[in-house]
Amino acid sequence: MNKVAIVTGATGQDGSYLSELLLEEGYTVIALRRRSSSEKGLERIQHLLNNDNFKLVEADITDSGCVNNLIQEYKPSEIYNLAAQSHVGTSFKQPSYTSQVNLQGPINFLEAIRLLSPSTKFYQASTSEMFGKNYEQMGDTKYQRETTAFVPQSPYAVAKLAAHEMVRIYRDSYGLFACCGILFNHESERRGENFVTRKITKWIGNFQNWLNSNNLDIRYVSANSESILFVSGVQESFPKLRLGNLDAHRDWGHAQDYVEAMYMMLQQDSPEDYVIATSETHSVREFLTEAFNEIGITNFEPYVVIDPEFYRPCEVDWLLGHTGKARDQLGWRPKVSFQELVQRMVRSDIDASRKEKLERSSIQELEETS
Ligand code: NAP
Ligand code: GDD
């Protein structure tokens, strides 16, 4: 009999990679998906839908009755709670909703496990955002580790921190195998398009294809002072990339490496929380430089507009994870470097944009000939 794992947020970036990993490990994966009015939103797991061990189940983690029924029905060995309103900026505009999903959701699972299936192991997706403005310092190096105090700076981080503490309380009070991965930023070709890394690489993908389809050489492209780029002789213009704070530093890794750490945490003898990171930090500005370099542009500034709309009321300036505990106890190490991460994301978005354009033109051709 296969082990059964429930993965919430299976349609998201991490959920899709984790589902792949668990299937490879021989699990039956119960992949939760909230109701949607369309079939869109399954893109990241499309390739898993025909796998007999992958079962897509409609569920909303804010509904305790629904969560109870799931635990009752599947009695899973492991639950990975990845579902969240995961956008920090959005959490300032939708604080109550963010709290419902990010805090009430995990509570529903913890209660259901306690009452109905106490041997189920539980993973909670905690976050480096919980550290907020706080860090420790050794020499010139500023970093965060498991014991660094949390000083959250957004409704998102507050809800995640409350959930983090709730996991500790259920672990200590009821002896549940419940633990949290304090994951620093992790990105990928499947990253949501409104996070800064993917926003940048998607723009670059579309821009490169705009250049290609107009037979334009980057040396002859110029920008006006407003928000568009234009080239003499070419009527079409291309909107500049609009971003907020470029000075924030993030410790960016690849999501595929990070889901391995989640899995490893639930295979330990006892439940503990771990910081998962690359231990290298870069500013948004550095990410931009690296990404534009991929298409031969050494100075991104003419292509970017700073737009106050993308600033946050409160910012987290510096994240750099100290991963001694994960390295020593789990034997976990990241494999994908910052440079490789950026390269993979840019190349994937150039490819995706080219395919999208080809699809659009073949549909147009079909419409014209029919
Ligand atoms: P993501 O791509 O935004 O995925 C979030 C998932 O949650 C989606 O599948 C989403 O469904 C689902 N969801 C949202 N509300 C739900 C609800 N009420 N009921 C059921 N499902 C719901 O996020 P991610 O980057 O994979 O991150 C995974 C988890 O790790 C999140 O909890 C996030 O907060 C946390 N985290 C992420 C990072 C990072 O850098 N990526 C770092 C630290 C912690 P739809 O597809 O329908 O939207
Ligand atoms: N999203 C976004 N859009 N961020 C921008 C932009 C923009 O146009 N311009 C600048 N930024 C800055 C943000 O202000 C922030 O300092 C940084 O880029 C990273 O923003 P995001 O990519 O949205 O990620 P995040 O760090 O706020 O949150 C992500 O990482 C957390 C872990 O530290 C999310 O994945 C969270 O769910 C996760 O917990």
Side-chain angles (χ1 to χ4, degrees), residues 62-254:
T62 60
D63 185 323
S64 62
C66 165
V67 169
N68 288 349
N69 288 337
L70 284 168
I71 309 293
Q72 191 89 274
E73 181 173 354
Y74 294 106
K75 289 270 169 16
S77 315
E78 294 164 20
I79 296 174
Y80 296 85
N81 183 38
L82 310 183
Q85 190 303 92
S86 68
H87 198 275
V88 174
T90 300
S91 78
F92 285 96
K93 294 176 184 143
Q94 300 176 23
S96 306
Y97 170 71
T98 301
S99 179
Q100 272 297 307
V101 183
N102 296 6
L103 173 57
Q104 192 57 50
I107 295 176
N108 289 342
F109 276 102
L110 290 165
E111 268 296 275
I113 293 171
R114 178 176 81 84
L115 295 168
L116 304 168
S117 182
S119 62
T120 296
K121 294 179 173 180
F122 182 72
Y123 172 88
Q124 166 63 13
S126 288
T127 164
S128 50
E129 273 290 308
M130 300 186 309
F131 295 117
K133 288 204 180 297
N134 199 24
Y135 53 79
E136 298 182 52
Q137 192 153 2
M138 193 187 291
D140 288 339
T141 311
K142 299 184 284 184
Y143 63 91
Q144 292 95 359
R145 57 181 167 174
E146 290 82 0
T147 47
T148 306
F150 299 120
V151 188
Q153 298 294 318
S154 64
Y156 167 82
V158 169
K160 281 284 185 179
L161 177 54
H164 183 84
E165 294 292 356
M166 208 53 100
V167 170
R168 179 181 59 75
I169 287 165
Y170 273 71
R171 183 171 60 214
D172 293 349
S173 310
Y174 308 116
L176 298 190
F177 192 115
C179 59
C180 302
I182 307 172
L183 270 53
F184 284 58
N185 298 49
H186 45 280
E187 320 294 308
S188 74
E189 299 84 329
R190 299 183 193 169
R191 182 57 143 155
E193 292 170 9
N194 58 1
F195 296 95
V196 76
T197 56
R198 186 75 200 289
K199 187 172 166 184
I200 293 168
T201 61
K202 190 161 166 67
W203 186 94
I204 290 178
N206 289 337
F207 178 61
Q208 181 65 62
N209 277 293
W210 177 75
L211 291 175
N212 292 348
S213 54
N214 287 299
N215 284 324
L216 300 174
D217 186 312
I218 193 77
R219 284 170 301 177
Y220 308 116
V221 173
S222 60
N224 66 15
S225 58
E226 301 296 320
S227 61
I228 49 169
L229 296 164
F230 62 92
V231 182
S232 51
V234 175
Q235 297 302 312
E236 215 186 319
S237 61
F238 195 88
K240 283 189 181 183
L241 171 58
R242 306 185 80 82
L243 293 173
N245 177 18
L246 305 189
D247 295 317
H249 280 71
R250 291 290 181 273
D251 180 330
W252 277 298
H254 195 287

